[in-house]
Amino acid sequence: MTVSSDLILSERQGDVLTLTLNRPDQYNALSEEMLTALQAAIDACRADDALRAVVLAARGRAFCAGHDLKQMRGHAGDEAYYRALFSQCGRLMQSLVQLPVPVIARVHGTATAAGCQLVASCDLAVAAHSARFAVSGINVGLFCSTPAVPLTRNVPIKQAFEMLVTGQFISAEQAAARGLVNHVVPDDELDGAVQGLVGAIVAKSPLAIRTGKTMVYRQLGLPLDKAYDFAAQVMATNMLAADAEEGIDAFMQKRPARWQGK
């Protein structure tokens, strides 16, 4: 089923949802309205227990050009407005991480500033060969502070800092080498590569995937010993799940597993 709005196109195929940014003439710039629409779409996913993965895509020549600078300049001098806007964007980025299923960025064209932040905030990313990435706020006198948060959690600090202080574009291949994206493919193979990654995910236990995503991000903020304590607790609980029992039995019996999602 396909459900369309002005700013976000939502298409559900089986247990996979594709959300498509739909401001192609504005290079999918993240206006207040776009942020609100995308947040609503992500929030709706949280209550969908049948959902297995989300693909974040975009229409037009660019993936996302970042914040809508024209809209921002319409509020010149209003610090409260800017605080609220950047907080709204930060909440959206965190909601991608907090979503219990994997979120995969399908990147074509350019992903700049908050658009690069969007890619970095997704769990996985597949980029077309022609895609380019930058945190280019510095070029207009604005350090990309909020994009720096997920960028420095994806990319080694010296390489991230170079991007932040130069505003220079990096290629898709450089983005992959630095850990910003998982795979780079020819432009005409982008959809197939995304679907291949999605297929590999949905073939696994839905319970294990949801458990694992939550565990991975939570342990990142813990000291090493506490991370191991937490991981051991999660894994022990996971071992009691029906899916784990079925998966191990299927492996030993050399047959496909029949996941129950519990």
Side-chain angles (χ1 to χ4, degrees):
M1 181 177 71
T2 301
V3 180
S4 299
S5 69
D6 289 340
L7 298 173
I8 301 294
L9 305 180
S10 177
E11 182 179 2
R12 180 70 176 264
Q13 291 188 336
D15 43 18
V16 178
L17 179 69
T18 299
L19 299 175
T20 303
L21 308 182
N22 188 37
R23 293 187 76 202
D25 294 338
Q26 293 78 32
Y27 302 99
N28 296 306
L30 297 175
S31 63
E32 298 170 63
E33 296 80 8
M34 176 75 93
L35 289 170
T36 298
L38 185 53
Q39 184 72 69
I42 294 297
D43 288 347
C45 295
R46 298 185 68 85
D48 189 345
D49 292 337
L51 190 64
R52 301 293 309 281
V54 174
V55 175
L56 188 60
R59 290 188 61 226
R61 291 180 292 172
F63 178 75
C64 179
H67 284 289
D68 189 325
L69 296 179
K70 183 177 180 180
Q71 186 180 64
M72 290 169 61
R73 284 296 291 151
H75 295 267
D78 189 346
E79 183 178 353
Y81 169 82
Y82 296 134
R83 283 180 177 269
L85 177 66
F86 296 132
S87 293
Q88 178 186 16
C89 185
R91 287 192 299 273
L92 171 64
M93 302 300 168
Q94 291 176 76
S95 71
L96 296 172
V97 175
Q98 293 162 358
L99 201 64
V101 298
V103 182
I104 304 163
R106 176 202 178 278
V107 189
H108 74 286
T110 56
T112 56
C116 189
Q117 179 183 6
L118 196 57
V119 175
S121 298
C122 291
D123 305 300
L124 301 161
V126 181
H129 175 78
S130 62
R132 298 193 304 157
F133 304 81
V135 275
S136 49
I138 199 70
N139 295 333
V140 296
L142 181 66
F143 191 85
C144 279
S145 297
T146 46
V149 174
L151 183 67
T152 56
R153 284 162 167 77
N154 281 246
V155 174
I157 187 65
K158 283 185 170 60
Q159 294 175 333
F161 194 73
E162 181 180 355
M163 292 177 67
L164 289 160
V165 296
T166 67
Q168 294 174 347
F169 278 96
I170 63 171
S171 68
E173 286 77 10
Q174 288 173 306
R178 297 178 186 187
L180 182 58
V181 303
N182 298 83
H183 304 286
V184 178
V185 298
D187 289 35
D188 60 357
E189 297 178 14
L190 181 56
D191 286 327
V194 171
Q195 291 307 311
L197 186 55
V198 169
I201 292 168
V202 301
K204 307 304 187 292
S205 159
L207 174 70
I209 293 290
R210 287 173 176 258
T211 298
K213 176 171 176 177
T214 301
M215 176 269 161
V216 164
Y217 287 110
R218 183 171 171 186
Q219 64 85 28
L220 284 173
L222 298 174
L224 185 62
D225 60 336
K226 299 299 183 184
Y228 268 109
D229 288 345
F230 172 62
Q233 174 188 335
V234 171
M235 201 163 189
T237 302
N238 194 173
M239 275 295 297
L240 301 177
D243 269 5
E245 294 178 349
E246 163 62 15
I248 293 170
D249 288 347
F251 175 77
M252 293 190 298
Q253 296 166 15
K254 299 182 179 177
R255 61 171 175 80
R258 297 180 289 271
W259 307 122
Q260 300 176 40
K262 59 183 181 180

